Amino acid sequence: MSPAAPIEPNKKTLPESSSSAWGELSPERSYRRFGDLRGVQWRIDLGILPSSSSSIDDFRRVTANCRRSYAALRRRLLISPPISRDERHFRDLVMDNPLSQNPDSMWGQFFHKAELERTVDQDLSRLYPEHGSYFQTPERQGVLRRILLLWCIRHPNYGYRQGMHELLAPLLYVLQADLERLSEVRKLYKDYFTDNFDGLSLNVTDLSYNSDLEKDEDNMGIQKDMVKVHHLNELDPKIQTIISFSDAYGAEGELGIVLSEKFIEHDAYSMFDVLMNGDEGAVAMANFFSQFPSPENGLPPVLEASSALYRLLSTVDFSLYTHLVELGVEPQYFALRWLRVLFGREFALADLLVIWDEIFALDNTKLKKEKEVKFNVFNSLRGAFISALAVSMILYLRSSLLATENATSCLQRLLSFPEDVNLRKLLTKAKSLMNLATDALNSVLEPRGHRHSLSSDQAAHASPRGGVRENYWEEQWRVMNKEAEDRKQVGISRQVRNRIRGWSEKVKARLAKVTRSTSPFRRNLVDDQTAHLEENKKLVSGNCSSEQNSNSNSNNNNNNNNNNNNNNNNNNNNNNNNNNNNNNNNNSNNNSNINETGSSVESSSSVIGPEPGPGPGPTVSPSTSISSGLYRSTEDVFSPVPTSNTTQYSSFNEVKNDIITKRPVADLGDEQSSPGKFQWLWRFAKTGPEGSLDKSEAATSSVNESDQKNGLPEAVDRNKFKILAQSMLENIEVIESAENLSENALEALKELRKIKNLLSERVLD
Amino acid sequence: MVLVLAIGDLHIPHRAPDLPAKFKSMLVPGKIQHIICTGNLCIKEIHDYLKSLCPSLHITRGEYDEDSRYPETKTITIGQFKIGLCHGHQVVPWGDLDSLAMLQRQLDVDILVTGHTHQFKAYKHEAGVVINPGSATGAYSSITYDVNPSFVLMDIDGLRVVVYVYELIDGEVKVDKIDFKKTPTATI
């Protein structure tokens, strides 16, 4: 059970030498009350235990709390689910059976845990083989495994990554070492481990007890010893604290023994947890294990940290920095391992303990606010020291690095840090670099854009289950059932969107048709309307996939252009009264015209093409470009049309360009009112009641035919406008009733309302 | 926590082309520790497929199996349970509980798994449990009408076995669960 022998004397001598040699280095370091009890000291540094100046009772209390929470956690999370309570009977068996692919079932979780355990075991079997006698015993392995599993289950977004076990191992070791110390002290000063039961110290060698052993010679000896030192306080304070730490009679009872073998697992877990989480400080080791880019600057924290390192190196030793960069040695190749295990793989365990002493001694609170600092990962004294230490390690190898002209040998050198390092020198250098480090980290320069091989492809979707990513089958299941689930939710909103789409397409079709025959002035108006509707439609239906959108848009474009050409052709045949013939003509014309307008349509659809890129939630700029693309295409088609007034077009283009939904619809009202101006509305109004705006695009063909008719009395207009406005209002209300509307959609709805109001105004004229 | 799949009477390719898709999607490698198969697979490809699900595969010979090297009966011990396996066409009358119980006593097993009737059954009688996993493909049977595809998954945990039966009824997978406990009689 004891750690390998060579370690012990090393550990004992080092603290002495360290405290004497480094006294001059860090006068500002606070008095380390528990210098030789690393476990306790580290717990204080990490923030688990209260600061050094508090009393033993506080220590006990905090310790007990930590342990209690760990025990609760363990009870909750490690009980295997299929050992069932009978409440499971009413669980849905279809979901919860062992073969179920549903990842949320209890069995799914069970299999995930089994998977996690397998991964953890793989790593544990290779942990510290040189100290195998300590780390490879089954009990220790069990302890380590439980701690790691619990932490990973608790933090599913990190899962288990190789390296976590190496962070945990020294913590456990240190706690064990403390216990060793305790047992040594116990042996030496066993008389002082008294029973403080009643607040009195009842020594074994009580007078009454003595009387029974009078005959024994040893009595004399014992009595003599007792005479020497009666009271606890006469002992070395360090020994005192050790003894009091083992006292079992505080308020928390056994749970409060600060140095306790029984609860070594609990303590190790709390230390590990705090180390990983950073305890609200800047340096959280868990960050180094995450692959997903941090929100601040879009890089995974490891890359951020590596570039911080290189930045510091560049300020300290520019020539070495340039040398490395020229060779193409990216920092994360070696920094990843250094940081993830906090240099655990570069130094022997004994040295590592010393280094970690230094690291943990420094404060981890954030130095500056997050927004002000580029490298958040190192934004604390502790972080600065870590980066300074890394740089000093690089500097230590300076000569050999500068000598090689080969990236791989550089890396080899960096990755196999020499064994016989003068630790003291290294740490001194690191300390001296610390100030530079804090300056460098707080500078506002951009992090260099190295080509990060680790980055982007892992920025894909974050797996919802930690540890093991969802395996293939579960993903398939989710994909398959996602449609079913989505269908239910999206049902209503889809209907709504369809309605809107149908309606606005019809409107656009009308508008486009009419622009051909109306004056340029009117065409401005109509084109504006088209653009408006286009945007609104896009924004409102922004929830559905953008591909769908763009497909429908391109379809619309096709429809528009085709309808326009139809108009061109059909206007020449005014004698056509047969609806069916018209339809057939239209359809055939559609087909033939598709090829002709291929180029212009392609231009518009290519403009639309990039839209799926930014994903759902259309931003404004693509839509402007798309609508202007639309314009371009419609104008192309209309090129045979005499363009009399270019100035009007340019003005309209300007208006178009500083668009958006904020543009008041009152623009329309500024135009001169003429009866012919609203011919398009009139034509649309005719079709309004028939088309009953809820129908799908199929109705556009019927609308085509009716547009051919001319000469309806205008008296009918007002009625139609009313109906038009009415149906518009209905649709708006339907849309509003759908859930999950974005802000853009709501604004678009407002605009639509304005249009409707305009229409109804015209009615009243 | 040992998962044992009991499956059989697939009759591929003679009476059915393949397992139902929903069953296939559920049977993934890695979850099941043993497969016991009553027989009538019938071809080697199905044997290989089952082997890919789990390397520990036990099969007995059904009358249409093309591989004649399968044994007529088999006994396996998993955990605390002794499981006996036989196709069932040897036991006449087919599907009769008393005759099957006779076979169970003969093999001296706690759980007897047989097939041939293409109908799921799970009986408990004083000596043990008799399970018929039915036909996994719903293949035609001359003795059963309206065959639904079904198979059985046993979760053996100490002295307790939980039998999950998966049936494909009207295109949906239905799952049912039956608990059996073994009385800890001293087996000498």
Side-chain angles (χ1 to χ4, degrees), chain A residues 21-22 25 347 354-355 385 388-389 391-393 395-396 417 420-433:
Chain A
W22 298 341
L25 288 176
F347 299 103
V354 174
I355 293 184
F385 181 73
L389 182 57
V391 170
S392 60
M393 280 164 73
L395 289 175
Y396 188 83
F417 209 69
D420 50 348
V421 177
N422 189 337
L423 211 55
R424 209 188 324 159
K425 259 201 207 159
L426 206 58
L427 287 165
T428 325
K429 184 120 187 108
K431 294 255 161 124
S432 62
L433 288 177

Side-chain angles (χ1 to χ4, degrees), chain B residues 82-94:
Chain B
K82 282 195 289 212
I83 304 176
L85 185 61
C86 176
H87 178 245
H89 69 275
Q90 305 95 331
V91 178
V92 175
W94 291 335

Side-chain angles (χ1 to χ4, degrees), chain A residues 97 99-101 107 110 473, chain B residues 1 25-26 28 31 155 166:
Chain A
N97 60 77
L99 290 183
S100 149
Q101 297 298 327
W107 282 93
F110 170 73
W473 306 105
Chain B
M1 205 50 53
S25 70
M26 285 206 292
V28 299
K31 291 194 179 174
D155 176 12
Y166 295 79

Side-chain angles (χ1 to χ4, degrees), chain A residues 80 82-84 86 88-89 93-101 107-108 110-111 118 471 473-474 480, chain B residues 1 3 5 24-32 151 153 155 157 160 164 166 173-177 179:
Chain A
S80 81
I83 296 177
S84 59
D86 281 356
R88 266 211 315 139
H89 276 309
L93 264 185
V94 175
M95 185 195 79
D96 220 4
N97 60 77
L99 290 183
S100 149
Q101 297 298 327
W107 282 93
F110 170 73
F111 283 118
R118 262 196 289 269
N471 61 24
W473 306 105
E474 291 177 343
M480 271 185 344
Chain B
M1 205 50 53
L3 291 179
L5 177 72
K24 258 199 152 151
S25 70
M26 285 206 292
L27 293 174
V28 299
K31 291 194 179 174
I32 301 170
F151 66 88
L153 181 75
D155 176 12
D157 194 11
R160 180 167 164 256
Y164 294 90
Y166 295 79
V173 178
K174 301 269 188 287
V175 187
D176 205 0
K177 186 164 85 104
D179 260 315

Side-chain angles (χ1 to χ4, degrees), chain B residues 29-100:
Chain B
K31 291 194 179 174
I32 301 170
Q33 272 85 50
H34 300 274
I35 299 187
I36 52 182
C37 185
T38 54
N40 272 345
L41 289 181
C42 308
I43 45 180
K44 186 171 180 306
E45 279 77 358
I46 302 300
H47 176 101
D48 293 338
Y49 166 71
L50 289 178
K51 200 89 188 193
S52 77
L53 290 184
C54 164
S56 162
L57 173 63
H58 307 278
I59 313 189
T60 48
R61 181 133 204 267
E63 75 268 41
Y64 288 99
D65 268 318
E66 304 206 347
D67 189 340
S68 56
R69 292 169 302 173
Y70 299 144
E72 294 282 316
T73 60
K74 213 168 187 190
T75 28
I76 311 144
T77 308
I78 296 177
Q80 304 277 0
F81 286 90
K82 282 195 289 212
I83 304 176
L85 185 61
C86 176
H87 178 245
H89 69 275
Q90 305 95 331
V91 178
V92 175
W94 291 335
D96 181 46
L97 178 57
D98 293 324
S99 315
L100 288 174

Side-chain angles (χ1 to χ4, degrees), chain A residues 306-322 324-325 334 387 390-392 394-395 398 401 433 440:
Chain A
S306 324
S307 38
L309 280 190
Y310 257 24
R311 176 137 185 70
L312 183 58
L313 182 62
S314 64
T315 42
V316 170
D317 186 348
F318 193 66
S319 53
L320 181 59
Y321 167 74
T322 43
L324 287 175
V325 168
F334 54 90
S387 54
V391 170
S392 60
I394 303 179
L395 289 175
R398 183 175 200 273
L401 286 179
L433 288 177

